Amino acid sequence: MALTILLAVGGFGAGAFGALLGLGGGVLLVPMLALGFGLPFREAVAISLLAVIATSSASAAVYLQRGVANLRLGLALEVLTVIGAVIGGLVAFALDERLLAAAFAVMLLYVALTMARRRPAAAGAPASADTSLEIAPAPDEAVVPGSMTASLAGPDYQVHRLPLGLALSGLAGVVSALLGVGGGIVKVPAMHLVMGLPLRAATATSNVTIGVTASASAVLYIMRDAVDPLVAAPVLVGTFIGATTAARVAPRIPLAAIRWLFVVVLVVVAIQMAARALGGGVAS
């Protein structure tokens, strides 16, 4: 009973962080299950993918209702993401688990650096304001009215570097299947730092679409009996409740506070995962 409660609480925390940052919660859930509960890495990835689906399902309706998510852009990027997820799911079982743990550590450090590099809000700005990096289009990529890029624009921003964004979305799919993170770990920085979306729009758009990405590769894990229902059930319940709660309170939480807490968590977990990979401690 105690173990079930701990799994549910861990799922709640992962779902809340995932909904706030558009990462699906797998960034925290995979190391929690692999390091904290001793699950084999692939089983942790499989359960994390199911939790990503729960996070997306819980938060998508809220973000769409508020008009924050860019659904047209999300669906355009998702085509490449799903293809990458299928490819990643097919090769995941051929890779050594210590290699996957090392890749996870590198990815966590990358995301921590990306989050830490964002500029703080200007003095006097509202604490909850989205102080996105200003990304101007290159001289040769002016947005042409009536073009596909123009049709994907948001209410107060343009979408830039669409081809690069599509390529990164394919990479996000591969990362999702291999590491159980739903693809948001790559898509949020890609949409925000490369394509010019405000951070809230990028996280909301990622939350709406990551469930589709996770579904594409989760099926492959389920077919290989990589999911323990007794572990997955409490995690998914906690994740769904956490994601629903976070999506509703997100506008009232300062982005800076969430970002720096998340950076600290990512760095600590990355160090733990790297040590586990180098020491060969990841269960097989």
Side-chain angles (χ1 to χ4, degrees):
M1 184 64 179
L3 179 60
T4 299
I5 294 175
L6 287 175
L7 288 170
V9 171
F12 180 92
F17 269 105
L20 288 174
L21 294 175
L23 306 182
V27 173
L28 297 180
L29 199 55
V30 170
M32 181 193 80
L33 294 175
L35 299 177
F37 292 91
L39 262 67
F41 192 86
R42 289 193 182 93
E43 289 187 21
V45 168
I47 294 174
S48 176
L49 289 171
L50 296 177
V52 168
I53 299 172
T55 300
S56 180
S57 302
S59 57
V62 177
Y63 287 121
L64 288 173
Q65 183 180 25
R66 291 176 176 168
V68 183
N70 188 330
L71 183 59
R72 287 178 296 178
L73 175 62
L75 293 177
L77 298 177
E78 195 61 21
V79 174
L80 273 296
T81 310
V82 169
I83 294 175
V86 173
I87 295 173
L90 292 174
V91 303
F93 288 86
L95 300 177
D96 183 84
E97 293 195 357
R98 285 179 293 179
L99 176 62
L100 293 178
F104 199 94
V106 172
M107 180 195 65
L108 291 175
L109 291 175
Y110 154 73
V111 178
L113 177 62
T114 301
M115 292 291 179
R117 284 180 56 198
R118 286 199 66 247
R119 297 181 301 188
S128 60
D130 183 355
T131 55
S132 304
L133 294 174
E134 295 293 336
I135 301 181
D140 60 346
E141 66 158 340
V143 178
V144 180
S147 66
M148 180 179 179
T149 301
S151 69
L152 298 175
D156 55 355
Y157 59 87
Q158 296 292 332
V159 174
H160 307 299
R161 303 176 178 88
L162 181 59
L164 179 56
L166 290 169
L168 290 173
S169 294
L171 174 62
V174 176
V175 170
S176 167
L178 291 178
L179 305 179
V181 292
I185 204 78
V186 175
K187 290 176 74 172
V188 171
M191 286 189 285
H192 178 49
L193 300 176
V194 175
M195 305 182 74
L197 273 68
L199 183 58
R200 290 195 189 278
T203 56
T205 303
S206 176
N207 270 307
V208 170
T209 59
I210 54 178
V212 179
T213 307
S215 299
S217 46
V219 172
L220 299 174
Y221 283 88
I222 293 174
M223 291 174 61
R224 292 175 178 263
D225 296 324
V227 177
D228 184 347
L230 296 179
V231 176
V235 170
L236 296 181
V237 171
T239 300
F240 188 87
I241 297 174
T244 301
T245 303
R248 296 190 180 281
V249 303
R252 297 192 291 272
I253 301 178
L255 287 175
I258 299 172
R259 184 185 317 116
W260 285 109
L261 175 61
F262 199 66
V263 167
V264 172
V265 172
L266 290 178
V267 171
V268 171
V269 175
I271 293 172
Q272 292 176 334
M273 292 299 289
R276 193 81 178 251
L278 293 175
V282 176
S284 58

